[in-house]
Amino acid sequence: MLHTSGISLSFGGDFLFKDVSFRFGLNERIGLIGKNGAGKSTLLKVLATEQSIDSGEIAIDKNVSIGFLKQDIDFEEGRTVLEEAYQAFKKLKDIEFQLDQINIQLAERQDYESEEYHQLMVDLSHLQQQYEINGGYNYQGETQRILKCLGFREEDLNAPTNTFSGGWRMRIELAKLLLQNNQILLLDEPTNHLDIESILWLEKFLVQSSSCVVIVSHDKMFLDNVTNRTIEISLGKIYDYNKAFSEFVVHREELRTLQLAAQKNQQKEIEHTQKLISKFKAKASKASMAQSLIKKLDKVERIEVEQNDTATMHISFPVSKRAGKVVVKAEHIEKSYGDKLVMTNVNFELNRGEKIAFVGQNGQGKSTLAKVIMNEIDYNGKITLGHNVEVGYFAQNQAEYLDPNKTILDTMLDAANAETRPKVRDILGAFLFGGDDVFKYVKVLSGGERNRLALAKMLLNPFNFIIMDEPTNHLDMQSKNVLKQALINFGGSLILISHDRDFLQGLSQTILEFRDSKVKTFLGSIEEYLIAREAENFRAIEKQTKEKNTKESKPNDYQLQKKKKSLNNKLSKIESKITLLEKEIKLIDQNLEHDYENTIREDDFFEKYNQKKEDLERLMLDWESIQEQLDMI
């Protein structure tokens, strides 16, 4: 489907990758991994034909369509969420426009017997047929389904896109790509702006897809759950294995260990041969033997060991001073945006040395509460910071506040004070900005490099209380592990907002769950919390059983939970059937376009074809009905 042969690309004389070759086929789900700046996003741009290469060839099969989810998106102002998502169906929108134009002409004309009128009727019939073949009567319902699965509510669908944050706009772009049914999907950090529930849905969608999916992600669990092949870019080379990420890491390390052992044995043999050559050269009678050994040595193919890019940043968050026992106390916090209530009657307390994780769906108020604590927005209620508390805040879009026209070094020097200015180069070195790299402009940095620079700025001042909102966005796995260890070792208090399940594990033993404008405290790890969330229905059943035994039961809670579970199961089954039917209809539509006569040769072809479309329409209606019932619950 897609084949590269010996492709190379360099910037400023340094190769991002050199002489790289690989093939992609249907049903492959490839994790493209590597450190920040290794060239992952650039390779995606190359595959999407948005970036030229220095040498090599890229061959793509005829009629193969490619969808590319980029980090930078640009929407046309004035469109609603639905209108923007409908842009995925350009062909259908064009047909709709042509149909409207023909219908306008037909309404205005009265020359019913003329050739022109007859031609308009022929054109109308042809366009209606094309409209139906391309799914014109189903795409609106499917669009709403995908948007809701990605977290949009019914009332969001007709809101202008410019009223949503960058993360939600990225979801719209992702929905458009999933709706297009491209044969190749290139996804650059698709989980960065998704909450845990949406990530789980996306995992299921991609696993069921027949497309070739290439994913750049630093979410280890996401890669393990989705991919069946891993390609790593490291020091200009690629390492390609048909294994998911964790299996790939183990296999590559085992392979490297074997290569090191083989290389060591080979080196011993070479050294032994070289000693013999030196010994024989000294004797005229052995000169021919020495020449023979030299020729033999020249033919030896040296064993190469796969090189690891072992450079990692070094972070240590210093504690400024000892804070009081209570670091921050929130009392009866309420916040609304217009008519939308984000949170109400929120109360919690963070003590010295405690680490708390904020979790929940996007839009439930996690980042809002962080801004409330930082006094960045108006709110009702009371926030009290404790004695000697000094707060460091890493906002979700912290990297966006960096001046693109400044160099890395100037960015740090401008933020430093007299005490930390002499340490700037050392701090940058710890974050892998060494040598001439410090003179790079911010605008040329990758997303991960910008995040590292924003983190480096935080070290210019010590704190005893840190609030971090999605700090791992764009960070590679090694950098995430280093950051995680630094936060574990941090002696102060921490509030961490993240959807990265692997990153949260082991960082906190207290979870604040944001749901339905309320905040609920859970004592335990993120793994225990996720297990408990799945088990809530069982607790409801146990509670219901006890209430029945005492004849004081309130069946409503139990019945609602039971109904919700049943509806979710039905919804999942319907989604699987919809996906299967859409694939079957799409295949038939492609066959109709390429070989109409052979495709319709069976007598009952149209009967079966129309039945599939009716079944799909019925399933879409069933899906909407069940979703509405779930929304009511």
Side-chain angles (χ1 to χ4, degrees), residues 2 23 34 49 71 167 226 241 276 318 351 355 358 363-364 433 450 525:
L2 183 148
R23 291 177 180 269
T49 68
Q71 288 301 311
V226 173
Y241 296 97
L276 288 176
N351 294 322
K355 296 179 173 70
F358 285 4
Q364 293 293 325
F433 296 116
R450 292 187 190 198
S525 68

Side-chain angles (χ1 to χ4, degrees), residues 604-620:
D604 58 348
F605 168 79
F606 283 106
E607 184 180 338
K608 290 180 179 178
Y609 179 59
N610 289 326
Q611 184 61 53
K612 286 182 185 291
K613 293 204 166 187
E614 288 173 12
D615 291 345
L616 180 60
E617 193 169 347
R618 176 179 52 77
L619 285 170
M620 294 297 295

Side-chain angles (χ1 to χ4, degrees), residues 310-327:
T310 56
T312 56
M313 61 182 189
H314 303 280
I315 307 176
S316 177
F317 292 103
V319 178
S320 56
K321 60 180 73 170
R322 183 178 172 84
K325 183 178 183 301
V326 177
V327 172

Side-chain angles (χ1 to χ4, degrees), residues 505-518:
Q505 188 60 40
L507 256 176
S508 167
Q509 287 299 314
T510 303
I511 310 292
L512 257 62
E513 180 192 46
F514 289 67
R515 188 161 38 142
D516 301 327
S517 306
K518 303 286 180 64

